[in-house]
Amino acid sequence: MKRIILTPHAAAPIGPYNQAVVSGGLVYTSGQIAIDPATGQVISGDIRAQTTQVMKNLQAILAAAGSGLDRVVKTTVFLKDMNEFAALNEVYGSFFADKAKAPARSTVEVARLPKDVRVEIEVVAELDA
């Protein structure tokens, strides 16, 4: 049985989808972009600022589901410009304290993202035991 996750502490969906779905002991998040949940607007700033906001949105969604970044098993990163990969990695890595337990990850460069953001990230995480 699936459970829908919606929290006001992360960006509201901008289409016909939910922030996350819990099913089979896992949390599947929708791709998150750099939207400030307080304003509903894309934050200004470079790839570092946008990645930070994306990760904060993911933290809030995972917390609402009963999980956390420490329980993430897989991430998919959609990056507008692969030349920003190193800066993305720097911020992304700061959210995973134990590098030896970092999740699996795919990163792909895309032509365009919703609202013309620089990065979108989705995760799959285990529920807390």
Side-chain angles (χ1 to χ4, degrees), residues 3 5 7 20-22 27 59-68 126-128:
R3 178 170 53 104
I5 304 301
T7 177
V21 173
V22 173
V27 181
Q59 279 181 313
I61 293 166
L62 291 172
S67 187
E126 298 174 313
L127 289 176
D128 286 337

Side-chain angles (χ1 to χ4, degrees), residues 32-52:
Q32 294 301 302
I33 61 175
I35 293 178
D36 179 342
T39 66
Q41 299 299 312
V42 173
I43 65 156
S44 60
D46 64 5
I47 188 66
R48 286 178 176 84
Q50 287 201 1
T51 303
T52 298

Side-chain angles (χ1 to χ4, degrees), residues 11-17 33 35 40 114-115:
I14 57 175
Y17 60 90
I33 61 175
I35 293 178
K115 297 194 176 272

